[in-house]
Amino acid sequence: MMDLQLLPKKLLLKGGTIYDPLKDTMEKKDLLIVNGKIASMKKGENYDDAKTIDCAGKIITHGFCDLHVHFREPGREDKETLATGSLAALAGGFTRVCVMPNTNPPLDTPESIRFILEKAKDVPVHIHPIGAITRQQGGTDITEMGLMRDEGAVAFSDDGLPVQDGSVMRRALEYGSMFDLPIINHAEDICIREDGVMNEGFMSTKLGLSGNPNLAESSMVYRDLALGEMTGGRLHVPHVSTTESAEHIKEMKKTNKKVTAEVAPHHLYFNDEVIASFNTNLKVAPPIRSEEDRTALVQAVIEGVFDCIATDHAPHTIEEKEASFDLASFGMIGLESCFGVVNKVLVHQNKLPLSRLIQMLTVNPRRIMGFKFDLFQEGVSAELTVIDPKSEWVFSKNDIYSRSKNSPYLEEKLQGRPVLTIAKNKIAFIV
Ligand SMILES: [Zn+2]
């Protein structure tokens, strides 16, 4: 069970390896935290009056940052709240998350942004609201982005739903560029997707489920990239699932340095053959694709096409997931399992340097959102994660702190896990 405590006045993390993802340095040093702030990093430190934690064999790094989570508050507190979502984040090594606005009501006004930030004050991770692009996420009328930005919105998205109308997307990028905030579009052309519930291909035919073709995503990603270029806006492409989308992003990045993109752990880990189990926790939008797409996404990570990993943590109740595959809700939780999954598939199976993976979870997402990213500076509030990179573990219900349990990783063998997370003057002992 995770144990969440107030940070001691003086805390020494001793004998570990400190990986600074900003400077890309890996050094055996001790880290002293005094009154919640980074005090010093030296070798062989001892302080009689400090609580000391042995970090031998562990890596101490920046707290992870997730640009894409659904904490369901307000409106669906039976699935998740800012408080329960924060515990899931801590268990996954995350100290900072951005919550998507597809709540009930959606976060589409300055007041709703203020509501989230008020509520987020008391929870143990840093939470930033993303404002809706359109009122009620209706896809037509642009929200008061400037006022929402003034209240603390860090980006805009209608996530869960695509901005289907190209002219609305164009205007969103134009407005967004006035505030230099990212526009994040859930790219799935609903006209091409139709009623697809899984990837369109051999498996959908075999299983008799309606298919969602790669083109539903990649055509809209292509449109958004072109609109980003036309408007000079900042486009961030979320949860890329197809070979073609990755290729379009790679191509556009050669000339447009403003484009950023994320990939989700499940699109790197699974291929659509797993849908044969009819496990509804594998039903997600965009869908888990073919093995060809999965390996193309892994290759794209290695080539640096994606800036960051984002979980798209999407909690649902048992009732919504116990339906047949056609009818079940889209989405899976992902915070607690994230590191064990991406470390296994990227570092262990595909030889991505661990340092690059950590950058994709720390400094890169913070840069995209304009958050402070020099976290090992003296005097900075401690926001860090201690990882056991060698741990082999089987993901179980006991590892889930989300209010919902819709994880497809149950009983999966994962590699590496966060063991300690520090944020907001609290320390979470995860195992
Ligand atoms: Zn989405």
Side-chain angles (χ1 to χ4, degrees):
M1 270 314 262
M2 185 164 71
D3 184 13
L4 185 61
Q5 297 179 8
L6 262 179
L7 209 55
K9 220 171 145 35
K10 265 193 177 183
L11 177 70
L12 184 67
L13 302 179
K14 197 171 167 59
T17 301
I18 297 181
Y19 176 65
D20 184 337
L22 176 61
K23 304 192 175 90
D24 194 23
T25 51
M26 190 85 82
E27 294 170 297
K28 278 218 154 78
K29 276 184 182 173
D30 304 324
L31 178 68
L32 180 70
I33 299 166
V34 179
N35 292 326
K37 296 193 162 57
I38 304 287
S40 77
M41 287 196 286
K42 287 180 193 141
K43 227 175 204 165
E45 289 291 331
N46 275 302
Y47 299 92
D48 295 338
D49 54 343
K51 181 179 163 61
T52 301
I53 297 174
D54 178 16
C55 293
K58 311 284 196 297
I59 292 173
I60 302 164
T61 192
H62 293 184
F64 300 161
C65 174
D66 191 346
L67 304 189
H68 194 144
V69 302
H70 300 269
F71 280 180
R72 308 300 189 199
E73 195 171 347
R76 287 308 302 266
E77 289 83 355
D78 56 326
K79 296 185 186 189
E80 196 81 287
T81 63
L82 299 178
T84 59
S86 293
L87 296 179
L90 284 177
F94 291 88
T95 57
R96 197 172 284 270
V97 300
C98 300
V99 291
M100 281 294 176
N102 59 333
T103 48
N104 188 17
L107 310 181
D108 62 354
T109 60
E111 293 74 27
S112 58
I113 298 298
R114 203 180 311 143
F115 166 84
I116 294 292
L117 286 172
E118 270 303 313
K119 282 224 129 180
K121 273 184 188 157
D122 303 325
V123 305
V125 300
H126 300 276
I127 292 183
H128 302 272
I130 292 172
I133 291 174
T134 61
R135 284 175 210 271
Q136 292 294 314
Q137 295 193 290
T140 50
D141 306 319
I142 303 259
T143 53
E144 293 177 298
M145 288 183 178
L147 297 176
M148 290 162 81
R149 190 272 319 260
D150 294 345
E151 288 295 338
V154 292
F156 297 99
S157 178
D158 273 355
D159 193 61
L161 296 168
V163 177
Q164 184 67 37
D165 184 325
S167 73
V168 174
M169 188 60 189
R170 173 187 174 178
R171 273 185 290 130
L173 283 160
E174 283 169 351
Y175 285 132
S177 70
M178 287 162 55
F179 319 118
D180 198 34
L181 293 185
I183 302 294
I184 306 171
N185 182 28
H186 176 117
E188 266 193 314
D189 187 313
I190 49 180
C191 306
I192 300 175
R193 185 188 69 194
E194 297 182 289
D195 59 353
V197 296
M198 69 170 289
N199 180 47
E200 181 175 305
F202 173 75
M203 284 308 292
S204 62
T205 308
K206 186 175 163 189
L207 300 174
L209 292 169
S210 50
N212 171 347
N214 280 21
L215 191 70
E217 175 185 273
S218 63
S219 62
M220 194 174 266
V221 166
Y222 188 84
R223 178 202 74 175
D224 292 347
L225 290 166
L227 288 171
E229 191 182 35
M230 175 190 181
T231 59
R234 276 184 62 196
L235 178 73
H236 176 71
V237 187
H239 46 49
V240 174
S241 72
T242 68
T243 309
E244 296 83 357
S245 302
E247 279 169 2
H248 295 329
I249 292 163
K250 182 178 169 183
E251 198 53 37
M252 183 57 78
K253 276 189 159 189
K254 288 179 185 164
T255 52
N256 186 347
K257 301 297 169 201
K258 285 185 177 176
V259 173
T260 55
E262 72 190 34
V263 64
H266 46 272
H267 290 128
L268 297 167
Y269 191 81
F270 294 113
N271 65 41
D272 63 357
E273 286 168 32
V274 295
I275 308 296
S277 69
F278 292 101
N279 178 353
T280 56
N281 291 337
L282 291 158
K283 183 178 174 184
V284 65
I288 287 161
R289 301 286 182 185
S290 67
E291 176 62 11
E292 201 178 30
D293 286 307
R294 189 191 73 80
T295 52
L297 294 177
V298 169
Q299 189 54 36
V301 169
I302 291 166
E303 289 175 16
V305 175
F306 301 119
D307 301 270
C308 62
I309 306 279
T311 66
D312 194 8
H313 178 87
H316 288 295
T317 61
I318 290 172
E319 293 72 34
E320 283 164 307
K321 279 295 189 181
E322 264 182 353
S324 66
F325 202 90
D326 295 56
L327 299 175
S329 299
F330 289 97
M332 62 174 77
I333 58 168
L335 284 165
E336 299 96 329
S337 51
C338 175
F339 184 77
V341 168
V342 289
N343 184 53
K344 178 178 172 182
V345 64
L346 294 173
V347 177
H348 284 258
Q349 294 174 353
N350 288 283
K351 308 292 169 238
L352 182 80
L354 177 60
S355 57
R356 286 224 13 235
L357 174 61
I358 292 175
Q359 288 174 339
M360 291 179 79
L361 288 162
T362 55
V363 64
N364 295 3
R366 282 187 174 85
R367 271 208 173 108
I368 292 170
M369 287 294 170
F371 302 152
K372 188 173 180 54
F373 54 78
D374 192 0
L375 300 187
F376 282 155
Q377 242 180 357
E378 228 178 87
V380 169
S381 290
E383 195 185 328
L384 56 89
T385 300
V386 179
I387 303 162
D388 180 353
K390 298 221 165 64
S391 163
E392 296 205 354
W393 54 303
V394 176
F395 191 72
S396 82
K397 275 213 163 121
N398 294 333
D399 298 309
I400 296 178
Y401 292 87
S402 169
R403 184 161 280 175
S404 299
K405 311 293 173 204
N406 54 309
S407 169
Y409 299 106
L410 292 170
E411 308 310 319
E412 282 294 309
K413 209 184 257 178
L414 306 181
Q415 277 174 311
R417 70 183 301 178
V419 291
L420 205 73
T421 312
I422 295 177
K424 291 178 87 170
N425 216 22
K426 294 222 168 68
I427 177 165
F429 297 88
I430 299 157
V431 276

